[in-house]
Amino acid sequence: MKNTLLLLAALSVSTASAVTTIDYATWDGTRQPADEALIAAYNKLQSDVVVKYNLVPWGVYWQKAAAMVAGGSTYDVMWMNLDNFPFYQSQGALAPITLDAKTSAALPATRTSPYRVNNQLYGVPLGPQPVTVYINRALFKERGVPIPTANWTYDQMLAAAKKLTFVKDGKQIYGINGADLQADLEYGMSFYFGAGGQGLIKKSGTSYTASLDPVFQKTAQQLLDLIYVHKVSPGPQAATQQGYQMFLAGQMGILVQGSWMVSTWSQNKDLDWAFAPFPSENGLKPRPVVSAHALVVPQGSKNKEAAAKFITWMNTSTQAQRLLAQRGLLPTLAESYKSQYLQALPGRNAQTVFTQLPNSVVINSSLRSLKGLPEVLTVLSQKMNLAWTGNAKLPDAISQAQTEMTNLLRQSK
């Protein structure tokens, strides 16, 4: 009897040790309920793998990511953005991911190509996360502002923002979240591309140059004027709440944000929100930015095969795709699950998201081989932030950014 018990105990230990734990890390708290539901569903399907969810604040996240380069302990599956991808890939910190032919064919090439280097795939894109426009319909109706149509222009948006800026019951209501629209970042860049912009860094042969052209300068001035000239937005220094918090509280009429914010609006049951078309400029079609985030496997992971299997399930399985779409989030195969997405958001004008998606832009998709990209973009962001916070004149900030970016790009390959 004693020997039997010892054998059972040994078998129990052996079985327990055979379970592989996959550490999944993300910075996006807006997706936490969906990610946890996905992981719970996957764990139910597996007998030998357990996926563990890790939500890491943005700043801390990249400190943790530095361990990939150092070769220290790391997560098994991590979120990656395209701006940082060239650096981590060039340092050998990411493991190539091998997908079967069926999975490779199912994934949108426009979103996988930025993560492919020398015919090897180093990141599998998450669902498209386009920049979108949200409106508070109750405020629009209260102020007599027409609900935006497909041909909404920038001037019409500005006129609406002016009418939507007022005081109600002692509370300041603002027209739009101009503090978030720094022209070099994804929300502001959506206006830049819609105005005809072609990108802020140009490649010629093997060299790169900064290109803060007149379209960028004009767009940046328009967006900055929302704060300091038209005063339809709180400035970064004066705001006590972030733009999305004010929109959630019913104190902002127009919000330019990401499509991933849908789950956040459910926190205020009285919020009458809807999607609106991105405003056009000079008769051009809107070209909002799509955040091309991907799932990567760090080279330091000891569970690469299991990690790749989980990534494949997350991005192509019917169960995962439906779960996301039914929660109002765009899955990787968004176009195939359009009906579920629209059904999850009745009366919200969600069709707008799909109308604009084919013409959306992935920032810096052609610059994935530029190792110094993060440093170049950081310089640009720092200079533009000086203007956005009222600490520098915009022309000076752009001029300084152009010079410093050019110097860095000369050293980059």
Side-chain angles (χ1 to χ4, degrees):
M1 180 66 177
K2 182 177 179 181
N3 290 338
T4 300
L5 291 175
L6 289 173
L7 177 60
L8 289 174
L11 287 172
S12 176
V13 171
S14 176
T15 301
S17 63
V19 175
T20 299
T21 298
I22 300 295
D23 274 309
Y24 171 90
T26 175
W27 64 74
D28 188 359
T30 65
R31 273 180 52 124
Q32 183 171 0
D35 276 342
E36 289 182 332
L38 284 168
I39 288 171
Y42 187 76
N43 285 340
K44 284 184 180 180
L45 298 173
Q46 309 300 314
S47 60
D48 58 348
V49 174
V50 173
V51 179
K52 179 183 176 183
Y53 176 79
N54 296 272
L55 178 61
V56 186
W58 174 262
V60 179
Y61 185 92
W62 295 109
Q63 294 175 11
K64 296 277 188 180
M68 292 192 296
V69 178
S73 60
T74 184
Y75 302 107
D76 298 291
V77 176
M78 297 183 69
W79 273 43
M80 176 59 62
N81 64 7
L82 192 53
D83 291 346
N84 285 289
F85 169 71
F87 170 74
Y88 288 103
Q89 191 280 326
S90 68
Q91 297 301 306
L94 305 179
I97 301 173
T98 302
L99 303 175
D100 59 51
K102 182 179 179 181
T103 301
S104 296
L107 295 174
T110 55
R111 296 197 285 272
T112 56
S113 59
Y115 291 96
R116 194 177 294 278
V117 180
N118 296 328
N119 293 322
Q120 287 189 310
L121 187 66
Y122 288 88
V124 181
L126 290 157
Q129 302 183 78
V131 174
T132 56
V133 176
Y134 298 98
I135 61 170
N136 182 321
R137 288 186 293 204
L139 288 179
F140 269 70
K141 294 173 184 176
E142 180 179 341
R143 302 295 288 175
V145 180
I147 299 298
T149 65
N151 297 317
W152 204 34
T153 66
Y154 183 89
D155 288 340
Q156 289 174 325
M157 186 197 76
L158 176 57
K162 289 179 178 179
K163 287 186 178 181
L164 293 165
T165 301
F166 66 107
V167 177
K168 179 180 180 181
D169 300 329
K171 293 182 179 179
Q172 178 66 56
I173 311 297
Y174 282 103
I176 192 169
N177 59 323
D180 298 323
L181 305 183
Q182 188 168 312
D184 62 301
L185 304 180
E186 57 187 340
Y187 306 149
M189 286 283 282
S190 294
F191 290 91
Y192 161 74
F193 284 116
Q198 298 298 313
L200 305 183
I201 299 174
K202 302 296 183 184
K203 182 179 181 180
S204 178
T206 58
S207 62
Y208 300 86
T209 57
S211 180
L212 307 185
D213 60 16
V215 176
F216 177 75
Q217 296 170 34
K218 178 185 176 182
T219 303
Q221 191 65 65
Q222 284 180 321
L223 297 175
L224 192 62
D225 286 350
L226 294 173
I227 302 171
Y228 298 106
V229 175
H230 305 299
K231 302 186 186 304
V232 295
S233 166
Q237 293 178 330
T240 57
Q241 291 180 301
Q242 294 186 47
Y244 84 89
Q245 293 172 320
M246 297 189 71
F247 186 81
L248 181 62
Q251 292 180 251
M252 185 164 285
I254 303 168
L255 184 82
V256 181
Q257 255 279 5
S259 61
W260 56 87
M261 294 298 292
V262 164
S263 60
T264 303
W265 310 144
S266 63
Q267 297 174 20
N268 182 351
K269 301 301 180 183
D270 296 326
L271 182 64
D272 181 14
W273 69 272
F275 291 104
F278 222 90
S280 59
E281 182 81 3
N282 303 324
L284 301 173
K285 288 184 178 180
R287 298 184 67 204
V289 166
V290 172
S291 296
H293 298 146
L295 296 178
V296 299
V297 178
Q299 190 65 259
S301 169
K302 296 179 175 60
N303 305 299
K304 295 184 181 67
E305 185 175 343
K309 182 180 178 181
F310 172 61
I311 289 175
T312 298
W313 182 87
M314 283 274 283
N315 284 285
T316 60
S317 73
T318 299
Q319 185 177 11
Q321 301 297 285
R322 283 181 176 170
L323 188 151
L324 287 171
Q326 290 168 357
R327 288 171 175 259
L329 294 171
L330 291 171
T332 300
L333 307 180
E335 293 79 1
S336 300
Y337 292 85
K338 178 179 177 180
S339 60
Q340 289 93 332
Y341 181 83
L342 297 180
Q343 289 169 13
L345 300 168
R348 304 292 188 188
N349 196 24
Q351 175 63 42
T352 298
V353 178
F354 283 90
T355 300
Q356 296 177 163
L357 196 56
N359 206 39
S360 297
V361 181
V362 177
I363 301 179
N364 300 322
S365 62
S366 63
L367 303 175
R368 59 188 182 275
S369 61
L370 180 56
K371 299 176 184 178
L373 183 60
E375 290 80 4
V376 175
L377 296 177
T378 295
V379 164
L380 174 59
S381 180
Q382 289 173 342
K383 297 305 179 183
M384 295 301 293
N385 187 253
L386 290 175
W388 244 252
T389 53
N391 291 306
K393 293 181 179 179
L394 182 61
D396 293 339
I398 292 176
S399 177
Q400 292 173 14
Q402 175 86 25
T403 299
E404 294 190 28
M405 290 171 68
T406 298
N407 290 337
L408 285 172
L409 288 166
R410 284 173 180 165
Q411 304 168 26
S412 300
K413 298 292 182 182

